[in-house]
Amino acid sequence: NITLEYDLTEDQSVEMTISDLLGNTVKSFTKEFKLKGKNTETFDASNLANGIYLYNLKMKNSSYTGRIIHQ
């Protein structure tokens, strides 16, 4: 399993997608309302090949892209 943690400065809806380096979406989390503070998303990565993946976190007024190394 892979767990991603992120902090929110206010209560808001959040959407997260995980993609391979070619831009293919391998996991999409539905848009959910999250509370201010630390939040986590966990997903089963057992069906993913080892490698580097990107996650994109979309929030009300911003977005963030990070890297996951799956081994």
Side-chain angles (χ1 to χ4, degrees):
N1 286 344
I2 293 178
T3 300
L4 300 169
E5 295 183 356
Y6 55 95
D7 288 316
L8 297 176
T9 57
E10 62 183 89
D11 298 351
Q12 60 186 297
S13 291
V14 173
E15 183 178 359
M16 183 182 292
T17 55
I18 299 176
S19 306
D20 62 19
L21 292 178
L22 298 175
N24 300 309
T25 299
V26 296
K27 177 70 178 170
S28 181
F29 296 90
T30 58
K31 189 178 246 186
E32 292 184 41
F33 188 78
K34 300 288 186 174
L35 299 177
K36 175 182 174 178
K38 185 174 277 193
N39 288 273
T40 61
E41 297 290 347
T42 301
F43 72 99
D44 178 9
S46 62
N47 63 336
L48 296 180
N50 290 345
I52 298 172
Y53 295 86
L54 302 175
Y55 67 92
N56 185 266
L57 181 64
K58 294 179 186 176
M59 297 159 281
K60 182 170 68 172
N61 294 320
S62 62
S63 65
Y64 177 80
T65 300
R67 183 174 63 168
I68 301 168
I69 299 174
H70 178 55
Q71 299 180 356

